[in-house]
Amino acid sequence: MAARISTSSRTARRALIALTLVGAIGASTVGSSSAQVNVQAGAQGSDGWRGITRKSVEIDLGGGWVSKGELSLPSSARKKVPLVVLLHGSGHQDMNETLPGVEVFVPIAQTANREGFAVLRFNKRGVTGLGPTLTDDQSQLNPPHIYEQVLADAATAIRFAAARPEVDPTRIYLLGHSEGTQTAANLSADPSAANIPKPAGVIGMGVVGSDIRTLLTYQLFGKYLAQLHQEFDLDGDGSLTRTEISNGLHGQPADLVAYYREVLLAGDEINPGTDTDHDGTLSIDTEVSRVVRIKSRIDDYPDVEGLSEWNQRWAVDFGRFPNVTQDLPKFDGPTLLLNGENDVQSPARAAHAAEAALEKAGHRDHELITYPGVGHYMNIASKFTGGPGPLAPIVLKDIGRWLGAHR
C-alpha cells in the first residue's frame, strides 16, 4: 500500500511505502486549571509504555466539571519538553478515544513520547472513565451549545498544559481526529480569542474539510450510490440487474444487506416501487437515488435518518463554526493532514480541499498524506463497510517522522 503525499514546494518530498465531524471563539473562557498528579513508573514492559512516565492529572473545565486525564512524557526528560494535545472525535470520548477493539490515542501518544514530546490526553466533559463511562449528570452530557463547549474545554486543557512545569508553552502542538481536526483549526485560527498560546503546529487525521451537512449527505446518501456504482454495477452501464444486485449483496454486512434489500428488491425480484420505468433494471442515479434520498431524510436536515436528538443538536452547533478548509489557512504554522482514501465519514477529497486552501494562502510548511486502504479511524478498512481497528503502522510512522522534524 503506497501512501500518496502532497506537500508544499518548500517541504521535502519523499516516497513512503505502507506496511494503515464544526466562527471565532469568544474571548471569554470557562473554568480554571488545577491538577492532582499521580506518577506511574515509566517501564511498562511490552505494552508500549516502556521509557515513558505517566502522570494522572485533573483539569477543572469549569461549570462544575473536572476532567481526568494523563500527561505522559519521556522518562529521560530533564528540561521542559514540547507537548502534543490530543483532540477527540465527536461524541462522549474518553482520553484514549476508546472505540470497539481499539484505543485510537494510545499508540499516537506513545509515538509522540518516543519522539521527545509530552502528550496530554483528557476525558471529554461528562466522561468519568475509560470505556467510555459516563456521568448521570445530563447538564454535563448535554450542554446548551455542544460543540462550542467542546472548543472551550479544549482551550482550557491547552492552558492547563501550558502551565505545567514539564512543558515548554511555546511548543504546544494540536493533534485532532475527525471533529478534533476542526477543533484544532478553530483554535489555531485565532488563539488569542481562545486565550491559548499560539500552537507550534497542527496535525489533523480524518480531516473535516467540508461543512457538516455536506459530509452527512455523503454518509447517508452519496456513499450508497458510490458503492452501487463501484461494487455492484460491474458492467458500468449505470443500471443494476437482479443478478448484479444478488451478486453485490454477497459478503456485505447483515445490516447493509437489509438496507439494500429494502431499497432494491421485493423478495428476490427487482423492487417495483423503485423501478419507476418498469424496465426490469434500476438506474442508480435516477431510480435508486430518489429512494435513497427520501430514505435518508437529508432534505429534512438536521432531522435525518439515524441521527439522535443529541446528534442533531451537535450537528447544528458544529455547523456554526468554520470547517478546516475555512479556518486552518488562518494559521501560519506547520501543518500535517492525514486521511484514509477509504474514509466515508470525512472523505479524502475534503482533505485535498483543505490542502489546496493552505497552498492558496501561501503556507510554507504543509503536507497532506492520503492512504489507500485506510478508513476514518486510520486503520486498514474496506471502503464502504470498515469500522474501527488498530492504527496502520505507516500512520504512526508519519506522525513520528513529522513531529521529529518539527521538534
Side-chain angles (χ1 to χ4, degrees):
M1 175 181 64
R4 302 178 183 177
I5 305 174
S6 170
T7 65
S8 73
S9 59
R10 298 174 180 84
T11 303
R13 298 176 181 271
R14 55 187 294 196
L16 296 176
I17 303 301
L19 300 171
T20 205
L21 263 219
V22 178
I25 314 268
S28 62
T29 59
V30 296
S32 59
S33 300
S34 65
Q36 294 180 4
V37 178
N38 174 32
V39 180
Q40 298 182 7
Q44 296 291 322
S46 62
D47 63 1
W49 292 110
R50 183 178 296 277
I52 298 170
T53 297
R54 304 165 63 187
K55 303 182 179 183
S56 298
V57 299
E58 294 186 352
I59 308 170
D60 186 350
L61 296 180
W65 188 259
V66 176
S67 171
K68 294 181 179 180
E70 183 171 284
L71 181 72
S72 58
L73 67 160
S75 299
S76 60
R78 296 294 179 265
K79 59 182 180 179
K80 291 178 181 289
V81 295
L83 172 85
V84 179
V85 178
L86 301 186
L87 302 173
H88 325 68
S90 61
H92 298 113
Q93 301 280 2
D94 64 35
M95 68 177 181
N96 290 341
E97 198 174 76
T98 303
L99 299 168
V102 65
E103 293 177 312
V104 176
F105 281 172
V106 168
I108 295 172
Q110 293 168 344
T111 296
N113 290 151
R114 287 192 288 270
E115 289 295 333
F117 287 75
V119 176
L120 178 65
R121 309 182 335 273
F122 63 97
N123 294 333
K124 274 189 167 183
R125 182 178 294 265
V127 177
T128 58
L130 301 181
T133 57
L134 308 180
T135 181
D136 294 328
D137 187 343
Q138 290 301 307
S139 68
Q140 301 296 344
L141 292 171
N142 301 290
H145 299 288
I146 297 171
Y147 179 69
E148 186 174 357
Q149 187 67 66
V150 167
L151 278 175
D153 290 348
T156 301
I158 293 166
R159 290 192 298 274
F160 166 82
R164 294 288 305 186
E166 306 93 338
V167 172
D168 181 346
T170 68
R171 293 188 293 161
I172 294 179
Y173 296 75
L174 307 183
L175 187 155
H177 175 226
S178 193
E179 176 196 76
T181 67
Q182 182 166 307
T183 306
N186 295 158
L187 293 173
S188 62
D190 193 354
S192 61
N195 192 26
I196 62 170
K198 178 183 176 180
V202 171
I203 300 175
M205 307 188 312
V207 180
V208 181
S210 297
D211 66 277
I212 185 60
R213 182 168 184 170
T214 296
L215 294 178
L216 283 172
T217 300
Y218 183 72
Q219 292 174 26
L220 300 175
F221 170 61
K223 76 174 183 183
Y224 295 109
L225 305 187
Q227 184 180 24
L228 293 174
H229 276 294
Q230 294 180 33
E231 297 185 350
F232 285 61
D233 182 25
L234 296 186
D235 63 4
D237 68 352
S239 294
L240 299 175
T241 66
R242 182 182 63 179
T243 298
E244 285 177 319
I245 294 168
S246 177
N247 290 342
L249 291 176
H250 289 303
Q252 302 290 355
D255 57 344
L256 192 57
V257 171
Y259 180 94
Y260 280 139
R261 290 193 66 87
E262 179 181 348
V263 172
L264 305 175
L265 298 173
D268 291 327
E269 301 298 323
I270 293 289
N271 189 332
T274 304
D275 183 18
T276 55
D277 63 3
H278 310 296
D279 68 348
T281 66
L282 298 179
S283 170
I284 297 171
D285 292 334
T286 55
E287 295 172 317
V288 178
S289 175
R290 176 187 64 86
V291 175
V292 172
R293 191 171 190 94
I294 292 171
K295 185 175 176 60
S296 74
R297 302 203 310 272
I298 194 62
D299 295 318
D300 296 324
Y301 176 86
D303 184 18
V304 299
E305 181 186 33
L307 215 60
S308 69
E309 186 273 339
W310 186 95
N311 279 294
Q312 290 178 33
R313 290 178 50 238
W314 169 84
V316 170
D317 201 47
F318 191 61
R320 294 193 301 117
F321 293 84
N323 60 55
V324 174
T325 299
Q326 295 168 321
D327 244 10
L328 193 56
K330 300 172 187 175
F331 171 65
D332 61 3
T335 60
L336 173 65
L337 303 179
L338 309 173
N339 223 98
E341 294 184 9
N342 282 2
D343 188 336
V344 292
Q345 291 173 267
S346 299
R349 278 293 109 197
H352 280 285
E355 166 76 358
L358 292 170
E359 186 75 32
K360 183 177 181 179
H363 277 241
R364 294 175 296 174
D365 186 354
H366 59 93
E367 182 176 3
L368 167 65
I369 308 176
T370 65
Y371 303 93
V374 170
H376 185 64
Y377 305 101
M378 310 311 296
N379 62 306
I380 303 297
S382 60
K383 182 158 189 177
F384 299 106
T385 59
L391 274 72
I394 187 61
V395 175
L396 297 172
K397 181 179 179 181
D398 284 332
I399 291 172
R401 169 188 59 81
W402 190 90
L403 286 172
H406 291 82
R407 189 173 185 275

